[in-house]
Amino acid sequence: MSCPRILMTDDLKENALHYHSIPRPGKVEVVPTKPLATQMDLSLAYSPGVAAPCEAIAEDPSLASRYTARANLVGVITNGTAVLGLGAIGPLAAKPVMEGKGVLFKKFAGIDVFDVEILERDPDKLVEIIANLEPTFGGINLEDIKAPECFEIEEKLRERMRIPVFHDDQHGTAIITAAAILNALRIVDKRIDEVRLVGSGAGAAGIACLDLLVRLGMRRGHITLCDSRGVIFVGRDENMDRRKSQYAIETNDRTLGEAIVGADVFLGLSKPGVLSHEMVCRMAERPIILALANPEPEIRPEVAKDARSDVVIATGRSDYPNQVNNVLCFPYIFRGALDVGATAITEEMKLACVKALADLAIAEPPEEVRTAYGGQRLQFGPDYLIPKPFDPRLIVEMPIAVARAAMESGVAARPIVDLNAYRETLERFLFRTGLVMKPLFERAKERPMRVVYAEGEDVRVLRAVQAVRADGLAVPVLVGRKLRVESAIADAGLSLRLGEGVELVDPQDNPWFESCWQEYHRVLARRGVTPDEARERVGTRNTVLGALLVRLGRGDALICGTSGRFGRHLQHVSEIIGLRTGIAEAAAMNAVILRQGTLFIADTNVTQDPTAEQLAETATLAVEAVRRFGLTPKVALLSHSNFGSSQEPGAVKMSRALELIREREPGLEIEGEMQADLALSEQLRARIFPESRLRGQANVLLMPNRDAANIAFNLVKMVADGIAIGPMLMGMARTAHVLSASATVRRIVNMTAFAAVEAQRESATSEPAPTGGEEMFESIH
């Protein structure tokens, strides 16, 4: 079977295959949610205990939502007849896509998925197979099934099944497109019932978009739809079906070029380049263009804007404003539908999604959202029609809108009585997502900074740099001997080329050697460093050279520490870069991304036994860093003591730190001192201290000393198989991070994104270069 090929670079193809195969094949696994450690556990999980819920469900089927995972389980189902841009590649080859869809459901909305690939192209037989799976699932997401069969299949399944059935290729695209068009019409000051739309593409998504726009008030007679054969007009017989025929109009136009004259809106779900510069010139004033073909749109935004300065345009691409991305919809419409036990996804629920999306873009975003997107204004306008895909408000506002609409339209089997409590549940989910790095990646790509890697000969660093280059996160500056670096690149089979987007500073052939050693001597002359020693260290100690490059403006951020002792690297960074104005002590924080949530733990690496004052400063720095991830900090001060139950020095210190932090950050959600289990469980905390100001699960843990923080971080990382971020060195005058010798490629990439975003902030504030390195070093030690 042949299929079209998606163009990709060799690097991307190699990385994708590696990603899907290592450390284990595929992207998903089944994880038990109950313990199975004792004979009693076994008796409860299986025979004989399992008979109790079986009997209960047999008597009352609705109890399946209480005793099984069905209420949170979606089937992502395909027959592989229309996969992405690959065509009819079949169900087996479609499995990676279905697994990927399952990952998005889980990460964005906490929904479990079984992907089901069915070897059946007969629509009636496929309907029969899927309908018989109803006892397994709480909802069905149909995926990558070709038109026009997809319409018939969905319609028949909706009639037969008492659970939500949703063809995302149709309705997810339609919901987001409709929200973008509604907001674009607001901007150009036109009414939906007056505008004329020309569509290119009459497949599943194209027809669904038009259907939803008609429900929103667009006149069917104002729509001209084109497919690969031209305009769909009354009397045309070629390549027609029932869904296309409803958009046939009386017209003499036969081509897109003829139909586009005077059009207010162009909606493209077809193929690259079909809308030309000349065609845009012939559209009405203040035209709206949605060019949604992927990966190459019907017209590039820069071409459209060259033709018409008054155009408002959206595409399906992440590298342009106004990305129409289905991830804005499908996780959240299912979240709301599952949570009320919806028996279907109604038109009212889809319309609620449209309104919620449109309103979110108009509403003023909270500080966390602005921070997550690098201080962008995110102000409603031509370049901000719909929310960003990683806007944390989506998981709250969208499911609530869907749940409310389901209840109002009478399809909610388990109505939610207290929507405020439901909102709190959704807000808590924000802290359990594994996507905390994504906003940082997006911000880093907006303005790539020069990141200096001190260990440029380390193969882990080189692998990370290749990923950094592929993602456009930064401009890498490697410190290392040229021959050694080139040899390591060759041995690892990497495609990096020095001088092609990757800079190299060779300590043995450094064009800035004179300025570097002179600056190093100037800073440390009063610590007994002679000119000869300055020359020797700059030429032989890569972290010294890397820190000087950042200090002198040859780089924007430093990453070091993948070999050698943390303390030695920290000493060099502290001596050369120093502390930010107003900061008395540096601190380090690590994060670990777990299934249960993301935890930030401080101070893991710098101060052995901090005072209450030092803890308060660390908390301030940690809160600032956590907000950079777009998260709301929830801080817990940990101890062996709970809320004054002990008067030992460690507990008293943490209690005093709480007072100081509240003076500095009166609006901060913080509590302590307390044991770790109370910090992570609101239920346990409420039993002991109902007056706690901390709600939900803490995500920032401050430890009484370095040993406790470092041990806790490494234990959690290893035992829970978490993804580590850090150490994040906080309080420095310039961005610099000292990693650990155990840093993986993934951690280096993550820290590159974090460092790049920090460097962007610093370049905006333009703080003067540090001076007096010897005093700074003394203040840290």
Side-chain angles (χ1 to χ4, degrees):
M1 179 184 296
S2 62
C3 63
R5 306 288 292 179
I6 290 181
L7 296 178
M8 63 176 71
T9 64
D10 289 342
D11 282 352
L12 179 58
K13 183 175 181 179
E14 177 189 344
N15 288 339
L17 293 174
H18 184 273
Y19 175 87
H20 281 80
S21 61
I22 304 298
R24 54 182 289 176
K27 297 189 286 281
V28 296
E29 64 178 335
V30 176
V31 179
T33 60
K34 300 292 191 295
L36 197 62
T38 67
Q39 181 62 41
M40 176 58 74
D41 292 338
L42 183 60
S43 297
L44 294 173
Y46 199 55
S47 180
V50 74
C54 290
E55 291 170 343
I57 294 168
E59 185 175 338
D60 180 359
S62 69
L63 292 178
S65 64
R66 178 183 299 180
Y67 298 129
T68 76
R70 181 176 184 265
N72 195 51
L73 184 62
V74 166
V76 173
I77 300 179
T78 189
N79 66 351
T81 52
V83 180
L84 292 175
L86 299 171
I89 61 175
L92 183 60
K95 190 172 180 64
V97 181
M98 301 308 112
E99 285 189 356
K101 195 66 175 274
V103 169
L104 296 179
F105 266 110
K106 186 67 175 179
K107 291 296 186 181
F108 282 96
I111 294 171
D112 296 316
V113 163
F114 288 161
D115 60 284
V116 182
E117 295 76 29
I118 301 174
L119 186 61
E120 181 56 73
R121 300 189 65 161
D122 181 283
D124 290 330
K125 291 181 180 179
L126 189 61
V127 167
E128 195 68 26
I129 294 168
I130 297 171
N132 287 332
L133 294 173
E134 182 168 349
T136 301
F137 297 111
I140 299 292
N141 184 97
L142 299 175
E143 194 77 15
D144 293 351
I145 301 173
K146 74 182 183 72
E149 289 92 334
C150 60
F151 303 117
E152 175 188 346
I153 290 166
E154 186 191 38
E155 287 174 4
K156 289 182 176 179
L157 288 173
R158 285 168 60 91
E159 291 172 3
R160 289 185 56 173
M161 302 181 81
R162 294 287 294 163
I163 57 175
V165 178
F166 186 78
H167 186 206
D168 184 46
D169 297 331
Q170 293 183 58
H171 308 299
T173 303
I175 287 166
I176 302 151
T177 299
I181 288 177
L182 284 184
N183 278 348
L185 289 171
R186 286 170 168 154
I187 289 167
V188 301
D189 194 24
K190 295 182 181 181
R191 290 168 52 95
I192 193 169
D193 60 344
E194 295 176 349
V195 296
R196 190 167 74 83
L197 180 147
V198 173
S200 175
I207 296 291
C209 287
L210 298 181
D211 289 349
L212 191 55
L213 288 169
V214 169
R215 287 190 64 85
L216 287 165
M218 186 172 286
R219 296 184 182 180
R220 197 178 295 270
H222 288 185
I223 296 171
T224 304
L225 180 59
C226 303
D227 64 7
S228 59
R229 306 292 202 280
V231 172
I232 294 172
F233 58 90
V234 173
R236 181 181 131 172
D237 297 322
E238 184 184 16
N239 196 33
M240 294 293 288
D241 59 51
R242 175 175 59 88
R243 297 297 295 267
K244 287 183 184 180
S245 296
Q246 65 180 323
Y247 288 102
I249 61 170
E250 297 279 359
T251 179
N252 293 322
D253 295 335
R254 293 297 181 264
T255 67
L256 176 62
E258 294 169 349
I260 200 70
V261 177
D264 299 284
V265 181
F266 170 81
L267 173 59
L269 286 145
S270 53
K271 61 182 182 179
V274 300
L275 187 67
S276 68
H277 184 282
E278 181 186 2
M279 291 179 189
V280 177
C281 291
R282 290 187 281 154
M283 293 181 71
E285 291 184 1
R286 305 186 306 283
I288 298 167
I289 294 174
L290 279 85
L292 306 182
N294 252 332
E296 185 63 32
E298 285 81 1
I299 188 170
R300 288 265 185 159
E302 59 267 26
V303 177
K305 290 181 179 181
D306 181 69
R308 297 288 296 272
S309 61
D310 59 348
V311 71
V312 177
I313 184 167
T315 72
R317 293 173 59 121
S318 61
D319 52 348
Y320 290 109
N322 300 324
Q323 183 193 15
V324 174
N325 187 328
N326 281 24
V327 81
L328 286 168
C329 172
F330 71 81
Y332 313 115
I333 195 167
F334 269 100
R335 181 72 281 159
L338 292 173
D339 289 341
V340 295
T343 56
I345 290 179
T346 64
E347 292 301 314
E348 291 80 6
M349 293 160 75
K350 289 190 283 186
L351 292 173
C353 274
V354 174
K355 185 177 187 302
L357 264 180
D359 289 349
L360 272 179
I362 296 172
E364 180 71 18
E367 184 61 34
E368 289 76 22
V369 176
R370 286 194 295 267
T371 302
Y373 286 95
Q376 293 180 44
R377 294 183 67 190
L378 299 183
Q379 184 174 5
F380 178 59
D383 289 334
Y384 186 61
L385 299 176
I386 49 179
K388 296 279 191 177
F390 295 91
D391 189 327
R393 296 174 296 172
L394 290 167
I395 185 56
V396 178
E397 302 303 333
M398 295 278 283
I400 288 175
V402 171
R404 184 183 288 115
M407 291 187 290
E408 291 173 353
S409 57
V411 296
R414 298 188 304 276
I416 295 172
V417 176
D418 188 344
L419 284 175
N420 288 328
Y422 182 48
R423 175 180 293 274
E424 290 181 8
T425 300
L426 294 170
E427 287 173 345
R428 284 198 293 271
F429 174 76
L430 283 174
F431 302 107
R432 298 195 301 271
T433 176
L435 294 168
V436 294
M437 286 302 305
K438 190 61 181 178
L440 291 177
F441 274 64
E442 291 201 353
R443 287 164 54 192
K445 288 190 285 189
E446 289 170 4
R447 186 158 59 96
M449 309 300 284
R450 295 165 299 167
V451 177
V452 179
Y453 300 85
E455 289 85 22
E457 300 171 13
D458 187 324
V459 69
R460 286 172 299 161
V461 171
L462 294 172
R463 289 190 184 278
V465 164
Q466 178 156 297
V468 166
R469 286 289 302 132
D471 287 343
L473 300 178
V475 178
V477 181
L478 299 173
V479 177
R481 293 162 291 184
K482 184 177 181 181
L483 292 178
R484 293 287 185 92
V485 173
E486 289 179 334
S487 177
I489 290 172
D491 290 345
L494 303 177
S495 61
L496 291 177
R497 297 290 182 271
L498 299 180
E500 298 179 10
V502 180
E503 301 176 20
L504 176 73
V505 179
D506 187 334
Q508 298 175 348
D509 185 22
N510 178 7
W512 302 296
F513 178 72
E514 290 295 316
S515 58
C516 285
W517 80 256
Q518 289 172 5
E519 179 69 4
Y520 185 69
H521 178 256
R522 188 185 70 80
V523 172
L524 292 175
R526 291 188 178 276
R527 288 189 60 83
V529 174
T530 67
D532 286 343
E533 288 173 325
R535 293 188 188 94
E536 187 272 334
R537 292 179 188 178
V538 170
T540 60
R541 301 184 185 181
N542 286 11
T543 297
V544 169
L545 176 54
L548 286 165
L549 291 173
V550 172
R551 181 183 175 96
L552 294 172
R554 305 289 182 184
D556 302 304
L558 171 68
I559 289 180
C560 62
T562 57
S563 64
R565 292 189 295 109
F566 182 94
R568 177 57 62 88
H569 291 285
L570 179 61
Q571 177 182 341
H572 293 322
V573 171
S574 302
E575 289 174 336
I576 296 166
I577 289 181
L579 297 171
R580 262 168 44 189
T581 302
I583 299 297
E585 307 286 346
M589 178 170 69
N590 274 280
V592 58
I593 302 173
L594 309 169
R595 295 182 189 277
Q596 300 84 1
T598 301
L599 295 179
F600 296 84
I601 302 173
D603 170 13
T604 51
N605 295 80
V606 181
T607 305
Q608 168 57 32
D609 188 13
T611 64
E613 289 74 16
Q614 289 171 324
L615 284 168
E617 185 166 80
T618 296
T620 301
L621 294 171
V623 163
E624 176 186 295
V626 171
R627 285 175 176 154
R628 206 166 294 141
F629 286 88
L631 297 176
T632 300
K634 293 173 175 283
V635 185
L637 296 164
L638 301 189
S639 172
H640 73 285
S641 168
N642 281 322
F643 311 108
S645 64
S646 168
Q647 294 302 305
E648 292 186 12
V652 172
K653 176 176 71 173
M654 301 308 282
S655 179
R656 171 59 180 155
L658 176 67
E659 297 174 5
L660 296 173
I661 296 166
R662 283 181 171 164
E663 289 174 7
R664 290 174 176 232
E665 298 260 358
L668 181 66
E669 212 171 320
I670 184 171
E671 194 55 86
E673 83 289 5
M674 70 181 97
Q675 294 174 3
D677 54 349
L678 269 65
L680 302 179
S681 170
E682 183 173 29
Q683 185 177 11
L684 291 176
R685 193 165 57 248
R687 292 178 192 170
I688 296 177
F689 194 66
E691 297 81 14
S692 172
R693 299 187 195 179
L694 177 66
R695 303 186 67 183
Q697 175 181 310
N699 58 0
V700 182
L701 307 180
L702 259 68
M703 303 285 179
N705 58 59
R706 185 178 64 193
D707 284 346
N710 198 281
I711 291 168
F713 163 69
N714 282 294
L715 272 176
V716 170
K717 177 187 68 174
M718 296 304 296
V719 171
D721 193 25
I723 298 170
I725 307 170
M728 293 167 261
L729 190 57
M730 305 180 297
M732 307 308 295
R734 291 287 182 269
T735 299
H737 296 289
V738 182
L739 307 189
S740 63
S742 63
T744 61
V745 171
R746 186 172 189 176
R747 201 190 309 186
I748 297 168
V749 172
N750 284 341
M751 285 305 299
T752 297
F754 185 78
V757 171
E758 270 193 300
Q760 289 173 352
R761 176 187 58 81
E762 287 172 5
S763 68
T765 58
S766 300
E767 188 173 314
T771 57
E774 63 277 10
E775 288 84 2
M776 296 170 199
F777 177 71
E778 291 296 345
S779 72
I780 287 178
H781 296 271

